[in-house]
Amino acid sequence: MSDWVPTTCMRCAVGCGHLHRGADVGNGIDVARGDAAHPVNQGLACQRGIRESQDPDGEWLNRPMVRRQGELVPTTWDVALSEALNGFRAVADESIAVLGSGQQTNEAAYALGKLARGGFGTRYYDANTTLCMASAVTAYYETFGSDAPPCSYDDIPAAEAHVVWGANPSVAHPVMFRWIRQAANEDGVDLLVVDPVESETAKDADRHVAPDPGTDMALARAVMARLVETDRIDEAFVAGHTEGFDELVDGLPSAAEAATEAGVAMEAVDVLADAFDQRALCYWGMGVNQHVQGTDINRALIDLTLATGNLRPGGGPFSLTGQANSMGTRICSCKGSWPGHRDFEDPGERRLVAEEWEVPVDRLPPDPGPGPVGIADAMGAKGSDADVQAVWTVATNPVAGMPDAGPVRERLESTFLVAQDAFHTETTAVADVVLPAATWGESDGTAINMERTVSRVRAATGTPSGVWSDLRIIATIGARLFPGLFDDPDPDPEMLFDEFAGLTAGTVADCSGIDYDRLERETAVRWPAPDAETSVAYRYHETAEHGEGTETDEAATVEADADAETWQFPTPSGKARFSSAHGVEQAEPTDESYPLTLTTAREADGYNTGVRTRNVRDPETLTARVNPETMAGEGLTAGETASLASRRGSVAVEIEPDPAVPTGMVWTSIHHPDTNRLTVDTVDPRSKEPNLKQCAVRLLPTGADGSVVPADD
């Protein structure tokens, strides 16, 4: 019988410790369960994490493939790599786009970013976290001068109020939601949910506030105005440790005006204001981030925590990360910053990175690039004058995951495309070269969860002979194209971790005090960790007795004397910055032709584009959840197949009545490949994150032959 192998679950960003046991015969995970010794989850585990580890659906890739006469055919690694290398060599390095993922280990993500930025020197690189977390990242930088939440899971039981805004952790982060629900069961502790839809999380809440779709900014401003009107601002904190508050107040409407704009009663605004007037944690997710106003809404929520002094243990702004290692890619992959959140465009930081990598500084691209939507817009055929003529995707599925996905597929079909994945996807189906990669349970390395905790990922099983690890594939291609960039075409993950961690020394995201030996001893360590003893829990906040948020000081600092507290932010002034943004218009308002609003969200047990939970070659019909009143108005019946159309396309949907969805809205799953054939590719102007949550649609019965009604203008 195989031994138990401690590892980290990679199905969401909670970062639960797992124990895996490999199959006695062949490859695969025989049994998975929560690890009681892991400090993050202490043995808890959700069924999605267990099931997808033990028995994922989907079609596994176990041989490299190349396209011959229009068809993908199995081949050897030598042939597949030769084809990939020749395709990349046939175009200019800077015209190669690389799309990575928050599903890779830190080591693989770091290697891919090193190859993209220091090898190809391309600005057309993204780790696909721009599709889910970029607005939160931008808002944290603009407010605090640094990315990532200041708080951690340790703050959940100390909070007096829990405000979940535009997120559904009951479905997306089940183990974390269990902690939130347990904390909210205490006397006097409330759970409030802000969401147009009565989600699974909202059903468990003490109060559900349902603003009109797309009016989060107006509601946040209503709450802020109410706090100002009722003199519930922490004036000492605001005056001593922030800047820009007066400008924010000068631009506020009255609370009543903003509440009307949001479509909520003043009583609901008062409930939310009361929550922020306590020691409150505010959590948010994709319902806030994936919006043309995403950065502004993020900042408005952070403003509420600043104005009420909720930036100490037991409170704070807590963005809920989507992909399992999105936090890791933000720190190490060189997507929007150099390792450790070093400023991408700072000349000194660029020289330091170039020297460490032993590459000319002018090989590094001048800016982080346009984000995934901009990369897709730049794609064109090899030999054309397009800015992007070859694409390499790693553990990501842009054909299904990008907004307005139909044209994205067409552009990918016109480029030279190398797709690297563990499973068959809509993207591997159109690739010129397919490289089969090991998945979780088969890979070694580390991951970083949403509260900044680093822990080990370990393989509990081998792989078929035709499957390589992500790290080996990346380093092999990098070594052949750019000799010297990687010392070993099949490097030890520990060597890459040490290289990455060394580059973070002295930064705001310092991981230099972490190594594999420490992780072996302590299991998990939060960054910043500038030395072998330190692991910071609550960032920016210090007390005279305990110093900055160490692992043991939460209980002591919750009730600390305000005179003994100080805050330090990595901004030019050393102060946190309020925002005075008013928001912008919706990306695509409804009208007479398209009178309904489409929103997208997660399903229970769903993950990313669903390749592990459905048949990619023949997916079931997309389900559209619709309020019964809306169904009656559109002349639709339960179970009927209808046409759901936007200005970009039409798809067949099966109608499911659901009173939890407000009238005038249609709900579809983010995991289905048809959903993003409808969404709009408008992006937040600062974060470049697309507006995946709202667009205008219409519902029509299908033709008598079952054909889908085409969209038109």
Side-chain angles (χ1 to χ4, degrees), residues 139-191:
Y140 280 136
Y141 269 118
E142 291 181 355
T143 304
F144 301 127
S146 173
D147 177 26
C151 37
S152 73
Y153 299 155
D154 291 343
D155 299 300
I156 293 174
E160 297 171 339
H162 300 266
V163 181
V164 179
W165 197 307
N168 189 11
S170 175
V171 163
H173 306 104
V175 171
M176 182 182 186
F177 183 63
R178 179 170 173 173
W179 302 326
I180 295 171
R181 189 170 54 189
Q182 279 182 325
N185 283 338
E186 297 293 325
D187 289 343
V189 178
D190 290 329
L191 169 60

Side-chain angles (χ1 to χ4, degrees), residues 402-417:
M402 291 278 282
D404 193 12
V408 174
R409 179 189 179 109
E410 294 171 4
R411 294 183 193 119
L412 284 168
E413 288 177 325
S414 74
T415 68
F416 176 74
L417 174 61

Side-chain angles (χ1 to χ4, degrees), residues 216-552:
D216 298 271
M217 188 70 182
L219 180 55
R221 283 163 60 78
V223 177
M224 178 64 80
R226 192 60 173 160
L227 289 166
V228 172
E229 291 168 1
T230 54
D231 296 323
R232 288 185 285 179
I233 303 300
D234 188 332
E235 295 181 357
F237 174 79
V238 169
H241 307 289
T242 72
E243 56 190 5
F245 183 68
D246 290 343
E247 291 84 348
L248 167 63
V249 173
D250 288 344
L252 284 175
S254 71
E257 290 172 336
T260 299
E261 183 181 349
V264 302
M266 271 301 299
E267 183 264 343
V269 173
D270 279 325
V271 167
L272 289 168
D274 290 344
F276 281 99
D277 193 35
Q278 304 175 71
R279 192 163 59 242
L281 278 169
C282 181
Y283 317 83
W284 67 89
M286 302 309 108
V288 169
N289 294 341
Q290 291 175 334
H291 198 290
V292 70
Q293 305 177 60
T295 299
D296 287 342
I297 302 170
N298 268 266
R299 292 205 65 185
L301 297 183
I302 298 172
D303 286 346
L304 291 171
T305 67
L306 291 178
T308 53
N310 267 305
L311 209 68
R312 53 172 62 88
F318 204 152
S319 62
L320 302 180
T321 307
Q323 294 189 77
N325 197 33
S326 178
M327 181 65 74
T329 61
R330 285 150 70 176
I331 296 172
C332 71
S333 73
C334 306
K335 181 182 78 72
S337 60
W338 302 116
H341 294 163
R342 295 183 184 277
D343 187 341
F344 198 92
E345 298 179 37
D346 181 271
E349 302 286 26
R350 294 167 62 81
R351 284 194 301 271
L352 184 150
V353 172
E355 289 170 2
E356 290 293 325
W357 288 351
E358 298 181 349
V359 300
V361 69
D362 58 3
R363 183 182 296 176
L364 305 181
D367 60 68
V373 171
I375 291 172
D377 289 342
M379 293 177 188
K382 184 173 70 175
S384 70
D385 59 358
D387 289 339
V388 171
Q389 299 176 18
V391 180
W392 181 9
T393 66
V394 180
T396 190
N397 187 16
V399 169
M402 291 278 282
D404 193 12
V408 174
R409 179 189 179 109
E410 294 171 4
R411 294 183 193 119
L412 284 168
E413 288 177 325
S414 74
T415 68
F416 176 74
L417 174 61
V418 176
Q420 178 174 323
D421 213 305
F423 292 85
H424 175 66
T425 72
E426 287 78 13
T427 301
T428 65
V430 300
D432 297 287
V433 180
V434 176
L435 304 177
T439 186
W440 311 314
E442 306 168 343
S443 302
D444 284 309
T446 58
I448 305 177
N449 72 0
M450 71 174 81
E451 58 147 10
R452 299 175 275 108
T453 296
V454 185
S455 59
R456 284 295 311 278
V457 176
R458 295 179 176 89
T461 181
T463 59
S465 59
V467 175
W468 289 10
S469 71
D470 274 332
L471 181 55
R472 181 183 179 187
I473 298 169
I474 294 162
T476 296
I477 290 175
R480 295 190 188 182
L481 288 175
F482 306 103
L485 192 64
F486 295 96
D487 294 333
D488 187 340
D490 187 12
D492 182 345
E494 184 174 6
M495 179 182 72
L496 267 294
F497 184 88
D498 290 344
E499 182 179 325
F500 145 70
L503 265 173
T504 70
T507 70
V508 292
D510 197 330
C511 295
S512 62
I514 307 174
D515 58 23
Y516 277 28
D517 289 340
R518 184 177 182 186
L519 293 175
E520 190 71 30
R521 294 191 307 272
E522 300 180 30
T523 304
V525 180
R526 286 193 194 103
W527 66 263
D531 56 59
E533 287 75 41
T534 302
S535 176
V536 173
Y538 206 103
R539 302 166 77 202
Y540 313 133
H541 172 266
E542 299 180 7
T543 64
E545 180 181 356
H546 295 281
E548 184 175 14
T550 59
E551 294 286 7
T552 58

Side-chain angles (χ1 to χ4, degrees), residues 633-695:
E634 301 296 324
L636 299 169
T637 59
E640 177 181 359
T641 299
S643 168
L644 179 61
S646 74
R647 290 181 174 85
R648 289 152 295 283
S650 300
V651 299
V653 294
E654 183 175 317
I655 301 298
E656 178 182 310
D658 188 352
V661 177
T663 57
M665 177 180 279
V666 179
W667 183 105
T668 60
S669 166
I670 65 167
H671 313 298
H672 198 283
D674 284 349
T675 289
N676 280 323
R677 291 172 58 189
L678 306 173
T679 52
V680 63
D681 65 358
T682 306
V683 300
D684 178 290
R686 303 205 298 285
S687 71
K688 311 304 181 191
E689 183 162 352
N691 189 90
L692 289 163
K693 289 304 178 193
Q694 297 94 21
C695 68

